[in-house]
Amino acid sequence: MPQHPLTPIDIRIDTQEQRSGIPALLAAMPQVHIEMVPLRMGDYDVGGNPRRVFERKTGSDFVSSLEQGRLFAQLTTLRKNRFAPILLLEGD
């Protein structure tokens, strides 16, 4: 089966995500090009049509977002701006 060249993936990452270690993992992938910038919405902007924007939450941040009523407001704002929001929940 013939191999096709890898399609480059451009990801804009919010500067506050640097401590998570995820940007370093993504940067180590040859087909991934990252740009660290302050994002107005979301944590990872993968682009495309529609643009996919990931909102990353740790378990404690998820619970806090629910208690404070921020979670669904954040996701709704992303949808209103024509993004395809993806909630990435991490933890044990």
Side-chain angles (χ1 to χ4, degrees):
M1 184 171 244
Q3 288 188 336
H4 299 283
L6 296 175
T7 304
I9 302 170
D10 295 313
I11 303 175
R12 295 174 59 223
I13 303 173
D14 188 77
T15 52
Q16 293 185 15
E17 285 295 303
Q18 197 145 11
R19 292 183 309 243
S20 72
I22 295 173
L25 293 171
L26 292 170
M29 298 177 181
Q31 76 275 23
V32 176
H33 303 105
I34 67 166
E35 178 184 5
M36 300 295 298
V37 296
L39 294 177
R40 286 186 326 117
M41 291 181 274
D43 298 311
Y44 299 86
D45 181 348
V46 181
N49 186 16
R51 286 173 54 192
R52 282 153 181 85
V53 175
F54 289 77
E55 180 66 39
R56 186 181 72 86
K57 299 282 185 195
T58 61
S60 59
D61 189 25
F62 177 73
V63 170
S64 175
S65 294
L66 283 174
E67 290 174 343
Q68 296 173 8
R70 292 183 289 125
L71 180 64
F72 295 108
Q74 288 174 325
L75 298 176
T76 299
T77 299
L78 287 168
R79 287 289 297 159
K80 286 182 180 178
N81 285 281
R82 301 187 185 255
F83 296 123
I86 301 167
L87 178 61
L88 177 63
L89 182 58
E90 66 178 51
D92 307 3

